[in-house]
Amino acid sequence: MIEVREPTQDDIDKIFFDDEIYSRIADDTCPTAEEFKKLFKEEIGYDIFKYCGLYLDDKIIGLSNIDDGDKFHFAVLKPYRAEYAKICLELSLRFFKKSVYCHIPLVYPEVIAFAKMNCFKAIGLVKNTYLKAGISYNILQLDYEFSI
């Protein structure tokens, strides 16, 4: 059973700076994970986001957060995605209790499909703003309308 709770800074780092997750979040213009971790700890700070930690057997397996007021970020460690991503997303959206939006680069069609299968609606494109392996990709904005 997945438990939702406020994550520690160490738990946030375990998800956000996981090699596989960070490689998908970061584009070619981003610092390395270690450089960004240092920047995050020393200059940006953890308190700029509201977090939802997702735990299985007391081990963090996923994390979601909101920044910019309503911009939603969501990640589940790869070994747990197939079985737990859907329930983790549902629990995250219930935790925040608000309408949110997300940006997903078109280079990740499986992530876009997952979001659409879970009630996110495509709104529009942000042109050529994600650079991966030297290729510029558009980003799709998707909205989720919270309702009780």
Side-chain angles (χ1 to χ4, degrees):
M1 182 170 167
I2 303 298
E3 178 187 353
V4 173
R5 67 176 187 252
E6 187 174 338
T8 65
Q9 288 182 5
D10 285 342
D11 284 348
I12 292 167
D13 289 352
K14 285 176 188 171
I15 302 299
F16 193 68
F17 297 110
D18 172 80
D19 289 339
E20 191 268 342
I21 290 173
Y22 190 78
S23 73
R24 291 171 66 87
I25 294 169
D27 73 359
D28 292 355
T29 66
C30 291
T32 66
E34 283 306 311
E35 291 168 338
F36 192 70
K37 186 185 223 179
K38 183 178 183 201
L39 181 68
F40 202 71
K41 288 180 185 243
E42 295 176 4
E43 295 181 34
I44 298 171
Y46 289 86
D47 59 348
I48 65 168
F49 303 124
K50 181 177 180 183
Y51 298 96
C52 173
L54 302 147
Y55 293 81
L56 178 65
D57 298 327
D58 211 35
K59 176 185 176 189
I60 192 157
I61 65 163
L63 180 74
S64 59
N65 70 290
I66 293 180
D67 68 2
D68 294 339
D70 297 328
K71 189 173 182 184
F72 180 75
H73 303 266
F74 173 74
V76 174
L77 294 171
K78 190 170 186 170
Y80 301 96
R81 277 186 206 141
E83 188 171 351
Y84 295 105
K86 182 171 179 50
I87 188 64
C88 285
L89 179 61
E90 291 169 2
L91 291 168
S92 293
L93 293 168
R94 278 191 244 148
F95 175 83
F96 291 117
K97 296 180 183 164
K98 65 188 297 184
S99 297
V100 297
Y101 72 95
C102 64
H103 285 167
I104 304 173
L106 295 183
V107 69
Y108 301 118
E110 73 285 2
V111 179
I112 292 168
F114 175 77
K116 287 179 174 180
M117 287 182 340
N118 288 281
C119 300
F120 279 80
K121 306 287 184 227
I123 299 302
L125 290 175
V126 181
K127 301 256 184 200
N128 300 320
T129 54
Y130 185 82
L131 187 65
K132 194 68 164 183
I135 301 170
S136 186
Y137 292 91
N138 292 334
I139 293 176
L140 182 64
Q141 179 172 325
L142 298 104
D143 287 0
Y144 173 82
E145 188 68 35
F146 179 78
S147 63
I148 296 177

